[in-house]
Amino acid sequence: MSDRLMLLDSASLYFRAFYGVPDTVKDRDGRPVNAVRGFLDMIAKLVTTYEPTHLVACWDDDWRPQWRVDLIPTYKTHRVAETVETGPDVEVVPDPLELQIPAIRESLGILGIPIVGAAHHEADDVIGTLATRATMPVDVVTGDRDLIQLVDDARGIRVVYTGRGMSNLDVLTNDAVIAKYAVRPDQYADFATMRGDASDGLPGVAGVGDKTAATLLAAHGDLDGILAAAVRGEGMSAGVRGKLAAATDYLEVAPRVVRVVRDLDLGDVDGRIRAADADAVERLAESRGLGSSLGRAAAALRARA
């Protein structure tokens, strides 16, 4: 059994589970458990399909870090429910989902899946750090396109992209990224910086979309090369140079926001899969109204232990 690490973008997955599983799925007291059960079913499918030997649930200890907001004030602004001066802002999360997060964490604990977060950083940064320091192939499971920048065939890092749903998972390798976006994975952060992303409150360069961004990167390699060429007046139209010049302030700070952090001090993370205690799994499934979902996840993990 060859070692393989799977990193879960936990919030991305439990949000998808919440909206993908009917909210009529409840425990015997009428409390919703659709997100918990959907999340556990995702784990069962992912472990069975991709056969990791190590598994880590990466967590947003700070979903909107102040240092990113300081650089781009619009960063995730539309998702803020409440601004907190002394800690992370409160994200807009539907109440029925918020109520299920403790059960998700408890389920991960029973299954022996470590939950790893980092102060003042997002799960993306935890994933970036763990993938970068990994000594084995890595599968990053996410619906967040930003993590495409981590794909690296030479190091065996793939992204299992959930954007089209769990029945239509895309496994993104170097060639798949190039085919889909016309840029290499190592260019993707610069591509995303120029294109922008409304879902993250990143404006991008006005008038520069996917095609133009990809064309510029093909010609000049990276954002620094593009900006240097613009200053020289080489390799691009006056119109494109004007668009880049108008976005100078944004382009000075956006790359730091878009690029995931890869050097966090996370300590030792032992994600090796181990068989969970069957009685404990059964008790939690009964008390939380998780039906057979927790058992399926436990069985999938047991087969890899």
Side-chain angles (χ1 to χ4, degrees):
M1 184 186 299
S2 299
D3 283 351
R4 175 172 290 275
L5 170 63
M6 177 172 282
L7 301 173
L8 305 179
D9 184 357
S10 301
S12 173
L13 296 182
Y14 65 62
F15 266 92
R16 177 167 292 279
F18 176 74
Y19 288 111
V21 178
D23 59 9
T24 53
V25 177
K26 299 181 178 181
D27 66 15
R28 61 191 175 194
D29 295 321
R31 294 171 298 197
V33 290
N34 57 322
V36 192
R37 291 179 63 166
F39 184 69
L40 292 169
D41 285 339
M42 288 177 178
I43 290 175
K45 176 175 181 174
L46 291 163
V47 169
T48 300
T49 302
Y50 299 106
E51 300 185 332
T53 54
H54 297 68
L55 181 60
V56 178
C58 302
W59 211 263
D60 283 323
D61 277 12
D62 190 340
W63 68 279
R64 186 175 182 252
Q66 187 60 47
W67 62 269
R68 282 191 165 108
V69 176
D70 290 342
L71 293 169
I72 298 182
T74 59
Y75 185 64
K76 296 186 178 180
T77 300
H78 61 295
R79 289 161 53 183
V80 176
E82 179 185 351
T83 301
V84 180
E85 292 186 4
T86 58
D89 292 335
V90 178
E91 184 178 13
V92 175
V93 178
D95 288 344
L97 172 56
E98 186 75 33
L99 293 171
Q100 297 180 64
I101 292 175
I104 290 172
R105 293 182 65 97
E106 190 174 2
S107 298
L108 291 169
I110 285 292
L111 294 172
I113 301 172
I115 299 170
V116 181
H120 313 302
H121 288 85
E122 302 172 55
D124 286 10
D125 302 313
V126 175
I127 290 169
T129 296
L130 293 177
T132 298
R133 77 184 200 186
T135 57
M136 65 188 77
V138 180
D139 285 333
V140 174
V141 185
T142 184
D144 185 348
R145 292 182 299 175
D146 287 343
L147 289 169
I148 291 171
Q149 64 189 274
L150 297 175
V151 171
D152 185 344
D153 283 3
R155 299 195 58 240
I157 302 174
R158 313 182 297 187
V159 164
V160 179
Y161 184 64
T162 65
R164 297 194 301 133
M166 292 300 294
S167 298
N168 295 285
L169 296 171
D170 291 321
V171 178
L172 300 180
T173 58
N174 284 21
D175 286 347
V177 174
I178 293 169
K180 189 173 182 66
Y181 298 103
V183 298
R184 302 188 309 268
D186 64 285
Q187 296 173 311
Y188 189 86
D190 287 344
F191 173 76
T193 294
M194 288 186 286
R195 178 196 61 200
D197 189 340
S199 67
D200 280 342
L202 298 175
V205 177
V208 173
D210 289 23
K211 185 175 180 179
T212 301
T215 299
L216 289 171
L217 286 165
H220 305 290
D222 58 19
L223 184 57
D224 288 342
I226 291 167
L227 296 177
V231 170
R232 295 193 304 269
E234 298 175 359
M236 67 189 72
S237 69
V240 172
R241 292 200 303 273
K243 292 169 183 177
L244 293 169
T248 296
D249 290 345
Y250 166 77
L251 291 173
E252 285 181 353
V253 297
R256 288 178 57 199
V257 175
V258 174
R259 290 174 189 144
V260 299
V261 177
R262 303 188 188 213
D263 59 356
L264 294 175
D265 182 5
L266 299 176
D268 293 331
V269 178
D270 180 13
R272 179 167 290 279
I273 291 173
R274 296 176 173 84
D277 181 272
D279 290 338
V281 167
E282 185 175 350
R283 286 194 299 270
L284 182 60
E286 175 65 20
S287 66
R288 286 289 194 177
L290 302 180
S292 57
S293 295
L294 185 59
R296 281 193 293 271
L301 292 167
R302 191 176 304 115
R304 299 299 299 162

